[in-house]
Amino acid sequence: LVDVKYYNKTDTLALVGDRTVGNFIEFAILFLPLLWINALFVEGGCKESFTICIIYVLSRMYYPVALTYGFAVLLSTVPGYLIYMYMFARIGWALI
């Protein structure tokens, strides 16, 4: 399974590009619907969603840098998970 996910281990630039796109798509599948639902159903959600989007994009921009230079990739992925939890909570409270 590792050989499938990291098929181009010898070419660092190709690996970083491949994993960056893959990671972004994996996160976007959940992020985009949550962002829109938050903007539509949470009070003050439009401005909040814009701020969340900026934080999310900045954390995603750090991912290829962390992967290239061997820094902690978690500094890029953990903010995404925290944003998910925050939006789930806000949407849940708005629906109650």
Side-chain angles (χ1 to χ4, degrees), residues 23-32 56 60 77 80-81 84:
N23 189 272
F24 188 81
I25 290 171
E26 291 165 3
F27 269 78
I29 290 170
L30 188 58
F31 174 74
L32 292 174
Y56 179 81
R60 296 286 92 206
T77 57
Y81 294 128
Y84 283 167

Side-chain angles (χ1 to χ4, degrees), residues 16-62:
V16 168
D18 184 48
R19 288 309 315 139
T20 299
V21 171
N23 189 272
F24 188 81
I25 290 171
E26 291 165 3
F27 269 78
I29 290 170
L30 188 58
F31 174 74
L32 292 174
L34 281 177
L35 185 71
W36 279 99
I37 292 169
N38 188 61
L40 294 174
F41 296 113
V42 174
E43 186 175 337
C46 284
K47 288 182 182 180
E48 183 179 85
S49 292
F50 178 75
T51 305
I52 288 170
C53 194
I54 295 297
I55 294 168
Y56 179 81
V57 168
L58 290 176
S59 73
R60 296 286 92 206
M61 286 172 54
Y62 175 70

